[in-house]
Amino acid sequence: MASPHQTRMRAVTLQDIADRCGVTKMTVSRALHGDTRNVSMETSARIKAVALELGYDPSFNHAARRLALRKCGQDVVNHLVAMFFPSGFQQWPYYTTIFGGMLEVFMPEKFSLLTHYTSFAERASENALPPVFMRGDVDGAIISRSSAHTQWICERLRATAFAERPIVSVITPVEGCSAVLIEAELSGYLAANHLLDLGHRHIIHMEAANPPHDQRMCGICRAYEERGLDPHAHLVYAQWFFDDENATVEAMDAALTAYPRSTAIIAANDRTAVLARDLAHRRGMRVPDDLSLVGFDDVTPMPDALGHNMLTTVRLPLQEVGQQAARLLLQHIRGHRRDIEQITLPVNLIERGSTAPPRV
Amino acid sequence: MASPHQTRMRAVTLQDIADRCGVTKMTVSRALHGDTRNVSMETSARIKAVALELGYDPSFNHAARRLALRKCGQDVVNHLVAMFFPSGFQQWPYYTTIFGGMLEVFMPEKFSLLTHYTSFAERASENALPPVFMRGDVDGAIISRSSAHTQWICERLRATAFAERPIVSVITPVEGCSAVLIEAELSGYLAANHLLDLGHRHIIHMEAANPPHDQRMCGICRAYEERGLDPHAHLVYAQWFFDDENATVEAMDAALTAYPRSTAIIAANDRTAVLARDLAHRRGMRVPDDLSLVGFDDVTPMPDALGHNMLTTVRLPLQEVGQQAARLLLQHIRGHRRDIEQITLPVNLIERGSTAPPRV
DNA sequence: TTGTAAGCGTTATCAG
DNA sequence: CTGATAACGCTTACAA
């Protein structure tokens, strides 16, 4: 259809089309915008045909459009979105799975996704955000961080030309933003309920102090209480360190030593469960015979001797989280949704070999 | 220093500053560009002070600048770069490690990095690239693909407003582009040399048909030839499938069955080595007693029973590959380098427990 | 050393 | 239904 782009020297402009059609560029602008009330069907068709023939690309002169539209304070869709993830996120399947889900939705829609991570060091500095944000090139953002961080990022964004554009939060809710969450309380319940069903009572729970882990904690307690058991008499809390595996392992080790009656560990995530298994082996314990393990996420396998994943875990639909967050953001950007929305996605327990009844 | 941004309603323009200083916006433009020959030191200082006070942000009115500069065919730096990776790259530590290295360089320089992956399906379609590319918002690209794919991507990019902007290739060289490579031939040599040193002779080599695996192959042969051995009499080639682990495992299985004298496998990468270990176990073989394994990359561990990485592997400096590619691209973008450059980074063998002398 | 004029490509507004 | 005009904010070229 389109003629070979013989000359890439100069971009095709509205004026070029207007010249060929014997009209003014204003009419061309109207026709190409699908203005049926102010342009005759006939000329409109002619203009569109010429535009196609010349290979007019509206996105090419985006800069001019934005400049013109600024006069009346209108926003243009730039087809550019950003995600704010913790530094080092690319190493964690947890985040890359969400990332992958987002890409799956954005790419077919021709939205480009840029990555911005924030370390604590950067947060401390008074650095401005990169130019793309300052100049308002970014249509929307997806954000996933601890609450202290999200607050800071939102403030930074709002202070740029990003202004009041949509932000969607994943996993952790952020005030005033749409969010895609998971059933955090239920995830804790499912893990604990499974272990209690098997007969475990004394359980070590690795957790972080902030959401969604604190909700997970509530679910764990609920499972105990449903059985008339006092969670505080049976549960042991061991701290989980977000970015320090050694510290996490030491905390587990200390807990196992201090509470030798423990027969199971609810780990902060799959990766931590694998660390727990390794620790157990070093202590001469076998999984699941001496110690049952439950993970969260279902993104990191715990391979047995034959390479099969043996980790009982609470699966979080992380890929779908990414997809839904992307869809939600697109709805906001395109103006199809103005109210903020919170989507909560279901979790489910996947029973594999790392849990078994305790040996009495 | 800067006054609190009291009004975010309207952006500060050159005219605003000019009004406050009693000069024209032209003088302001010159002063802010550091033009010392055409502006008196005095007015220049005054203007800069007012600009700071008003919180003038050059990046805010980027659109106007680009529009003006287009007249004389100049390029503006947009502080936006793209990377083209295979679809699903976010699941592979190999790519995310490179990705991480790139981010480490780009982020402090305030360059935003966007992700674009290309599946074969997309390649087949005649889809245009996303608007950010079409309109020339992207300053440069880093590309990592099989050769057939890179060619296609480059053509696509050149056909947009991206035009002749710099492209840096990683791992695989691309004609006419700067590249960051690794010592592919040497990596094969190191793997084979290590096994031959241990006394292995009959080795299965998992490989892909394209670079850099074919160079790796040359290195493997060199190790044989240095010992006066005919590689073709000892080496078994088994195909490695880029995106199909089951097929890869089947190929390994078939090779082990067809060539029972084999005592070692040179796997396509760490991940494949782990698959080989699992396969070996299923066949009742022990690693390294019955089968030695060498991987490549050093990004995926092969954990032993205690969780320690036992995989002997040829380490590729993937993070540094990402960093160097980013640095190279920045040099090109900033005009500090016009000639194309090929950097080759060193590899080294890391001996761990998955290799041992063959049991005779 | 500074000011003036014109234009980058688009769009809103008003006139015909 | 269509055209003319001005403006978005900036930069180059030329004039003072």
Side-chain angles (χ1 to χ4, degrees):
Chain A
M1 292 302 161
S3 71
H5 352 258
Q6 41 208 0
T7 168
R8 273 281 155 204
M9 301 290 88
R10 209 173 65 86
V12 181
T13 73
L14 293 185
Q15 188 65 59
D16 297 334
I17 302 172
D19 292 345
R20 286 270 295 241
C21 293
V23 295
T24 66
K25 58 183 177 180
M26 202 49 240
T27 310
V28 176
S29 174
R30 280 194 270 252
L32 262 35
H33 275 256
D35 186 341
T36 51
R37 295 154 40 110
N38 294 314
V39 185
S40 75
M41 292 263 284
E42 194 184 11
T43 46
S44 182
R46 192 159 40 105
I47 287 170
K48 280 175 181 166
V50 172
L52 198 68
E53 184 195 338
L54 262 47
Y56 177 75
D57 180 1
S59 66
F60 193 93
N61 293 312
H62 190 78
R65 186 167 301 109
R66 284 186 60 179
L67 195 55
L69 251 24
R70 182 173 295 178
K71 185 162 39 173
C72 46
Q74 275 197 48
D75 257 0
V76 201
V77 175
N78 297 296
H79 292 268
L80 188 60
V81 289
M83 81 184 185
F84 286 80
F85 272 13
S87 64
F89 78 92
Q90 76 277 355
Q91 298 167 346
W92 294 317
Y94 178 90
Y95 286 105
T96 56
T97 304
I98 298 176
F99 181 36
M102 288 166 35
L103 282 174
E104 279 172 33
V105 172
F106 284 133
M107 294 240 346
E109 301 286 340
K110 301 290 176 196
F111 271 74
S112 296
L113 177 62
L114 65 83
T115 300
H116 189 95
Y117 65 64
T118 42
S119 59
F120 284 90
E122 196 200 346
R123 186 179 156 201
S125 81
E126 281 301 312
N127 264 341
L129 287 171
V132 269
F133 296 99
M134 299 310 290
R135 71 172 102 115
D137 269 7
V138 179
D139 295 321
I142 294 180
I143 189 172
S144 176
R145 285 305 318 237
S146 63
S147 20
H149 234 91
T150 49
Q151 191 61 29
W152 175 79
I153 291 168
C154 289
E155 283 169 16
R156 275 287 160 97
L157 275 173
R158 299 308 186 198
T160 71
F162 187 90
E164 297 306 315
R165 290 177 192 167
I167 298 176
V168 172
S169 172
V170 291
I171 308 295
T172 307
V174 173
E175 199 184 353
C177 300
S178 282
V180 180
L181 310 174
I182 46 102
E183 296 172 328
E185 197 268 353
L186 184 62
S187 72
Y189 176 84
L190 290 175
N193 191 56
H194 172 62
L195 290 172
L196 292 171
D197 271 353
L198 288 171
H200 295 271
R201 289 299 176 267
H202 295 276
I203 300 176
I204 295 173
H205 174 214
M206 303 290 304
E207 66 157 2
N210 36 15
H213 284 197
D214 51 0
Q215 295 170 57
R216 209 180 262 182
M217 178 64 195
C218 297
I220 293 172
C221 291
R222 180 160 65 90
Y224 274 97
E225 285 155 2
E226 276 187 4
R227 286 170 172 75
L229 297 168
D230 176 17
H232 299 91
H234 299 90
L235 260 183
V236 171
Y237 316 111
Q239 194 175 352
W240 172 70
F241 298 89
F242 179 68
D243 49 6
D244 189 341
E245 289 196 343
N246 289 330
T248 298
V249 170
E250 279 172 28
M252 275 193 294
D253 200 27
L256 283 170
T257 301
Y259 302 90
R261 297 173 65 190
S262 309
T263 57
I265 295 183
I266 298 178
N269 55 32
D270 293 344
R271 172 68 190 156
T272 307
V274 172
L275 294 176
R277 195 257 302 255
D278 298 338
L279 173 65
H281 285 180
R282 287 197 293 276
R283 293 177 64 108
M285 304 167 83
R286 316 225 98 234
V287 174
D289 310 283
D290 307 311
L291 190 68
S292 282
L293 294 174
V294 181
F296 289 91
D297 302 349
D298 196 36
V299 291
T300 305
M302 178 190 280
D304 62 17
L306 265 45
H308 299 123
N309 187 4
M310 62 172 281
L311 179 60
T312 295
T313 193
V314 179
R315 181 180 180 275
L316 310 190
L318 293 172
Q319 186 168 2
E320 203 184 341
V321 164
Q323 292 174 347
Q324 293 281 20
R327 289 199 197 99
L328 206 46
L329 190 64
L330 286 178
Q331 288 178 1
H332 277 117
I333 289 171
R334 291 171 167 154
H336 299 338
R337 175 186 294 283
R338 291 200 63 82
D339 57 317
I340 74 166
E341 161 111 350
Q342 289 209 345
I343 300 172
T344 301
L345 298 177
V347 300
N348 61 294
L349 179 80
I350 298 181
E351 295 184 40
R352 286 192 275 246
S354 67
T355 49
R359 293 197 312 192
V360 201
Chain B
M1 291 306 160
S3 70
H5 352 259
Q6 41 208 358
T7 168
R8 274 281 153 202
M9 302 289 88
R10 209 174 66 84
V12 181
T13 73
L14 292 185
Q15 189 65 58
D16 297 334
I17 302 171
D19 292 344
R20 285 271 296 243
C21 293
V23 295
T24 68
K25 59 182 178 182
M26 202 48 243
T27 310
V28 177
S29 173
R30 281 194 270 251
L32 262 35
H33 276 255
D35 185 341
T36 51
R37 295 154 41 109
N38 295 314
V39 185
S40 74
M41 293 264 284
E42 193 183 13
T43 46
S44 181
R46 192 158 41 104
I47 286 169
K48 281 175 182 166
V50 172
L52 199 68
E53 184 194 339
L54 261 47
Y56 177 75
D57 180 1
S59 67
F60 193 93
N61 292 313
H62 189 78
R65 187 167 299 108
R66 283 186 60 179
L67 196 55
L69 251 26
R70 181 172 298 179
K71 184 162 40 173
C72 44
Q74 277 198 47
D75 257 1
V76 201
V77 175
N78 297 297
H79 292 268
L80 188 61
V81 289
M83 80 184 186
F84 286 81
F85 272 12
S87 64
F89 77 92
Q90 75 279 354
Q91 298 166 347
W92 294 318
Y94 177 90
Y95 286 105
T96 57
T97 305
I98 299 176
F99 182 36
M102 288 166 37
L103 282 174
E104 278 171 34
V105 172
F106 284 133
M107 294 239 348
E109 301 286 339
K110 301 290 176 197
F111 271 74
S112 296
L113 176 63
L114 65 83
T115 300
H116 189 94
Y117 65 65
T118 42
S119 59
F120 284 90
E122 195 199 348
R123 185 180 157 199
S125 82
E126 281 299 314
N127 263 340
L129 286 171
V132 270
F133 295 98
M134 299 310 291
R135 70 172 101 116
D137 269 7
V138 179
D139 296 321
I142 293 181
I143 189 172
S144 176
R145 285 305 318 237
S146 62
S147 19
H149 233 92
T150 48
Q151 191 61 29
W152 175 79
I153 292 168
C154 289
E155 282 170 16
R156 275 287 160 97
L157 275 173
R158 299 308 187 198
T160 70
F162 186 89
E164 296 306 317
R165 291 178 192 168
I167 298 176
V168 173
S169 172
V170 291
I171 309 295
T172 306
V174 173
E175 198 185 353
C177 299
S178 283
V180 179
L181 309 174
I182 47 103
E183 297 173 326
E185 197 269 352
L186 184 61
S187 72
Y189 176 83
L190 290 175
N193 191 57
H194 172 62
L195 290 171
L196 291 172
D197 272 352
L198 288 171
H200 294 271
R201 288 298 176 268
H202 295 276
I203 301 175
I204 295 175
H205 174 214
M206 304 289 303
E207 66 159 3
N210 37 15
H213 284 197
D214 50 0
Q215 295 170 57
R216 210 180 261 181
M217 178 63 194
C218 297
I220 292 172
C221 290
R222 179 160 65 91
Y224 272 97
E225 285 155 2
E226 276 188 5
R227 288 170 170 75
L229 297 168
D230 176 17
H232 300 89
H234 300 90
L235 260 183
V236 172
Y237 316 111
Q239 194 175 352
W240 171 70
F241 297 88
F242 180 68
D243 49 7
D244 189 341
E245 290 196 342
N246 289 329
T248 299
V249 170
E250 278 173 29
M252 277 194 291
D253 201 28
L256 283 170
T257 301
Y259 302 89
R261 296 173 66 191
S262 309
T263 57
I265 295 183
I266 297 178
N269 55 31
D270 294 344
R271 172 67 190 156
T272 307
V274 173
L275 293 175
R277 196 257 301 254
D278 297 338
L279 172 66
H281 286 180
R282 286 197 293 276
R283 293 177 66 108
M285 303 168 84
R286 318 225 96 236
V287 174
D289 309 282
D290 306 312
L291 191 68
S292 282
L293 295 174
V294 181
F296 288 91
D297 303 348
D298 196 36
V299 291
T300 305
M302 177 189 282
D304 61 18
L306 266 44
H308 299 123
N309 187 3
M310 63 173 281
L311 180 60
T312 295
T313 193
V314 179
R315 180 180 181 274
L316 310 190
L318 294 172
Q319 185 168 359
E320 203 184 342
V321 165
Q323 293 174 347
Q324 293 281 22
R327 289 198 198 100
L328 206 45
L329 189 64
L330 286 178
Q331 288 178 3
H332 276 117
I333 290 172
R334 290 172 169 152
H336 299 339
R337 173 186 297 281
R338 292 198 64 82
D339 57 318
I340 75 165
E341 161 112 352
Q342 288 209 346
I343 300 173
T344 301
L345 297 176
V347 300
N348 61 294
L349 179 80
I350 298 182
E351 295 183 39
R352 287 192 275 246
S354 67
T355 49
R359 293 196 313 190
V360 201

